[in-house]
Amino acid sequence: MPPPPLVAAIDQGTTSTRCIVFSESEAVAVAQKEHRQIYPRPGWVEHDASEIWQRAQEVVSEAVAASRASGRGEIAAVGITNQRETAVVWDRRTGRPLHNAIVWQDTRTQDLCDALAREGGAGPDRFRPKTGLPLATYFSATKLRWILDRVPGARAAGERGDALFGTVDSWLIWNLTGGASGGQHVTDVTNASRTLLMNLATLDWDDELLSAFHVPRAMLPRITSSSVPGDGFGATRADGPLGAELPVCGNLGDQQAALVGQACFTPGDCKNTYGTGCFMLLHTGDRAVASKAGLLTTVGYRFGDEPAAYALEGSIAVTGALVQWLRDNLKIISASPEIEPLAASVTDNGGVYFVPAFSGLFAPRWRADARGTIVGMTGHSHRGHIARAALEATAYQTRDVLEAMRDDAGVALSVLKVDGGMTGNELLMQFQADVLGIPVARPKVMETTALGAAVAAARAQNLWPERPAIQSPGGGKTWEPKMGRADRDRLYDRWLAAVERSLGWVEAGG
């Protein structure tokens, strides 16, 4: 029997770009390169979109060459997954970005969010009935508005359709399929649902929203499903990094791709991805569930002409980024993997709690005015306690989101599926199970984000089984809770008190 066809997945993340070539759930070849993080001012985070495209070409070329050298066959389709809310605006004629990409973590548009909230009379929930999202700097629309208002000539070019907007998936697909020579300007429903410009019911750009944000429709990409038969997102150029005309037929925002990669195809399935930030998604079926507990209502995925699958999402801004901060800013570690043995050098956090509200707090509080806080230190505290408190902050924030999901959906999870780079940290995963009181399960295939993009592309071309064995038993790991309810609740109550300190700093005039 011939081997299954290969699918190339481009996984463009916040800190790096990867290309993984899959044969069903097996990674045949992998290449990865980082790109710069640009911080022009406090709270501002940018990427050079041209650098991202260059890195994408490099990793695709390397992974394709390695897959061919493996003798496993030729690549038959391409899938894309990406950092979602990051905004790119570029010139249709030259292909040059008009400004650095404004990253999802960026908070420069808080004043605009506040003004829009006041104008609408409904506060931060002004657009939630249509979009499922609160007014927050996190999403793309205010970033796009900032570029239109601040970059000379950008608005006029956008109104003419000469300046194009997209999240990073659109930028990559446009370049892969021809760029200024005729590239396809498209996005999918999952990425569009994170802009504050798409109506969750119609799955299309909404004129009322475009008017409120002063965004010209002419600069927006066409919205498609996440998995489109044929070359629904266009075909790669033969002279491009893939070296052939191949259909780009799968496209998902990174967290929705992980939902697919974790085989969360049934309402009630839930996954949590631990990366730069932390993102928990709960599949809610073919209906958009409105959140009353500070969560986001989003599109989980849409395959072909099938109804869209919706999800509730809890987004946490800083998790893995906190480890990088300890490495780069405090320099208490020299490499990220050192965090686990350092945290394990103490038996507990010594009463130290770390609230990493560097960009405010996201779900479920949505408080842009929160500030990073370390509380509970004494003369006994040392870097081991700080390292442990940093890891535990990820687990506590995850519990915050899980409590909100229970309130919104009435679902009591029996297990939490996890993925992402931080799941390799055994201390964190055990503490996560302890503080939640349910098992935490890591799959055999840990690259679930890239795998989800590959599954979407393969499904569009009928390359793999309808429901491939992407999470087959064996090879994964499950952590069972070992902590009693009284202890976990006591620790969590102290975490909540630390969060109040984080909020109280600004309230006290800090």
Side-chain angles (χ1 to χ4, degrees), residues 5 26 99 107 110 136 212 218 223 259 322 325 343-344 389 400 429 434 465 479:
E26 180 187 357
H99 189 274
T107 61
Q110 186 58 52
I223 302 174
L259 192 75
L322 180 55
W325 185 83
D400 287 342
M429 291 297 98
D434 288 341
W479 289 265

Short mmCIF file of all heavy atoms in Angstrom, two decimals, residues 5 26 99 107 110 136 212 218 223 259 322 325 343-344 389 400 429 434 465 479:
data_model
loop_
_atom_site.label_atom_id
_atom_site.label_comp_id
_atom_site.label_asym_id
_atom_site.label_seq_id
_atom_site.Cartn_x
_atom_site.Cartn_y
_atom_site.Cartn_z
N PRO A 5 -0.65 10.57 1.28
CA PRO A 5 -0.10 11.81 0.72
C PRO A 5 0.39 12.73 1.84
O PRO A 5 -0.13 12.72 2.96
CB PRO A 5 -1.28 12.43 -0.02
CG PRO A 5 -2.23 11.30 -0.26
CD PRO A 5 -2.06 10.37 0.89
N GLU A 26 1.81 11.79 11.58
CA GLU A 26 3.26 11.68 11.76
C GLU A 26 3.97 12.86 11.10
O GLU A 26 3.75 13.16 9.92
CB GLU A 26 3.77 10.37 11.16
CG GLU A 26 5.27 10.19 11.31
CD GLU A 26 5.79 8.99 10.57
OE1 GLU A 26 4.96 8.24 9.98
OE2 GLU A 26 7.02 8.78 10.55
N HIS A 99 3.31 49.57 7.40
CA HIS A 99 3.73 49.77 8.79
C HIS A 99 4.08 48.40 9.33
O HIS A 99 3.66 47.37 8.77
CB HIS A 99 2.57 50.39 9.60
CG HIS A 99 2.95 50.84 10.99
ND1 HIS A 99 2.93 49.98 12.07
CD2 HIS A 99 3.33 52.04 11.47
CE1 HIS A 99 3.30 50.65 13.16
NE2 HIS A 99 3.55 51.90 12.82
N THR A 107 -1.14 47.17 23.19
CA THR A 107 -2.22 47.87 23.91
C THR A 107 -2.32 49.34 23.54
O THR A 107 -2.97 50.12 24.25
CB THR A 107 -2.00 47.75 25.43
OG1 THR A 107 -0.75 48.34 25.79
CG2 THR A 107 -2.03 46.30 25.88
N GLN A 110 -5.92 51.46 23.53
CA GLN A 110 -6.85 51.44 24.66
C GLN A 110 -7.74 52.69 24.68
O GLN A 110 -8.94 52.60 24.96
CB GLN A 110 -6.08 51.33 25.97
CG GLN A 110 -6.98 51.17 27.19
CD GLN A 110 -7.87 49.95 27.08
OE1 GLN A 110 -7.39 48.85 26.83
NE2 GLN A 110 -9.18 50.13 27.25
N ALA A 136 -11.71 45.48 23.02
CA ALA A 136 -10.41 45.33 23.68
C ALA A 136 -9.31 45.54 22.66
O ALA A 136 -9.50 45.30 21.46
CB ALA A 136 -10.30 43.94 24.32
N ALA A 212 -18.58 51.78 12.23
CA ALA A 212 -18.20 52.18 13.59
C ALA A 212 -16.68 52.31 13.72
O ALA A 212 -16.18 53.20 14.43
CB ALA A 212 -18.73 51.18 14.59
N ALA A 218 -13.20 47.88 0.94
CA ALA A 218 -12.36 47.56 -0.22
C ALA A 218 -11.02 46.94 0.17
O ALA A 218 -10.39 46.26 -0.64
CB ALA A 218 -12.11 48.81 -1.06
N ILE A 223 -13.86 36.21 2.89
CA ILE A 223 -13.95 35.23 3.96
C ILE A 223 -14.40 33.89 3.39
O ILE A 223 -15.40 33.82 2.67
CB ILE A 223 -14.93 35.68 5.06
CG1 ILE A 223 -14.50 37.02 5.66
CG2 ILE A 223 -15.01 34.63 6.17
CD1 ILE A 223 -15.50 37.59 6.66
N LEU A 259 -7.71 23.16 18.25
CA LEU A 259 -8.99 22.48 18.54
C LEU A 259 -9.20 21.31 17.59
O LEU A 259 -9.57 20.21 18.00
CB LEU A 259 -10.14 23.49 18.42
CG LEU A 259 -11.51 23.07 18.93
CD1 LEU A 259 -11.54 23.09 20.46
CD2 LEU A 259 -12.60 23.98 18.38
N LEU A 322 5.96 34.82 30.14
CA LEU A 322 6.50 35.15 31.46
C LEU A 322 7.84 34.45 31.69
O LEU A 322 8.76 35.03 32.28
CB LEU A 322 5.50 34.75 32.54
CG LEU A 322 5.90 35.03 33.99
CD1 LEU A 322 6.28 36.50 34.18
CD2 LEU A 322 4.78 34.64 34.94
N TRP A 325 10.32 36.40 29.90
CA TRP A 325 10.58 37.65 30.63
C TRP A 325 11.56 37.41 31.77
O TRP A 325 12.47 38.21 32.01
CB TRP A 325 9.26 38.20 31.15
CG TRP A 325 9.37 39.54 31.82
CD1 TRP A 325 9.39 40.77 31.21
CD2 TRP A 325 9.46 39.79 33.23
NE1 TRP A 325 9.48 41.76 32.16
CE2 TRP A 325 9.52 41.20 33.40
CE3 TRP A 325 9.48 38.97 34.34
CZ2 TRP A 325 9.61 41.79 34.66
CZ3 TRP A 325 9.56 39.55 35.60
CH2 TRP A 325 9.63 40.94 35.75
N ALA A 343 12.25 25.94 39.54
CA ALA A 343 10.99 25.92 40.29
C ALA A 343 10.92 24.69 41.19
O ALA A 343 10.35 24.74 42.29
CB ALA A 343 9.81 25.95 39.33
N ALA A 344 11.48 23.58 40.74
CA ALA A 344 11.45 22.34 41.52
C ALA A 344 12.45 22.35 42.67
O ALA A 344 12.44 21.45 43.52
CB ALA A 344 11.72 21.14 40.60
N ALA A 389 6.34 30.49 41.32
CA ALA A 389 5.15 31.34 41.25
C ALA A 389 4.81 31.69 39.80
O ALA A 389 3.63 31.79 39.43
CB ALA A 389 5.37 32.61 42.06
N ASP A 400 -9.13 30.17 36.36
CA ASP A 400 -10.03 31.31 36.18
C ASP A 400 -10.94 31.10 34.98
O ASP A 400 -12.15 31.32 35.03
CB ASP A 400 -9.22 32.59 35.97
CG ASP A 400 -8.54 33.11 37.22
OD1 ASP A 400 -8.92 32.71 38.33
OD2 ASP A 400 -7.61 33.94 37.07
N MET A 429 2.38 20.78 34.60
CA MET A 429 1.23 19.95 34.27
C MET A 429 0.65 19.26 35.51
O MET A 429 -0.56 19.14 35.65
CB MET A 429 1.62 18.92 33.21
CG MET A 429 1.91 19.50 31.84
SD MET A 429 0.46 20.32 31.07
CE MET A 429 0.79 22.06 31.45
N ASP A 434 -3.62 19.44 39.74
CA ASP A 434 -3.92 19.62 41.16
C ASP A 434 -4.87 20.79 41.39
O ASP A 434 -5.83 20.67 42.15
CB ASP A 434 -2.62 19.86 41.94
CG ASP A 434 -1.77 18.61 42.08
OD1 ASP A 434 -2.32 17.50 41.90
OD2 ASP A 434 -0.57 18.74 42.37
N PRO A 465 -8.20 9.88 5.95
CA PRO A 465 -9.53 9.48 6.41
C PRO A 465 -10.33 10.67 6.93
O PRO A 465 -9.78 11.68 7.36
CB PRO A 465 -9.24 8.50 7.55
CG PRO A 465 -7.88 7.97 7.25
CD PRO A 465 -7.13 9.11 6.62
N TRP A 479 -1.84 13.44 33.66
CA TRP A 479 -1.52 13.76 35.04
C TRP A 479 -2.80 13.75 35.86
O TRP A 479 -3.76 14.45 35.54
CB TRP A 479 -0.88 15.14 35.14
CG TRP A 479 0.51 15.20 34.59
CD1 TRP A 479 1.68 15.07 35.27
CD2 TRP A 479 0.89 15.42 33.21
NE1 TRP A 479 2.76 15.19 34.43
CE2 TRP A 479 2.30 15.41 33.15
CE3 TRP A 479 0.17 15.63 32.02
CZ2 TRP A 479 3.00 15.59 31.97
CZ3 TRP A 479 0.86 15.81 30.85
CH2 TRP A 479 2.26 15.78 30.82
#
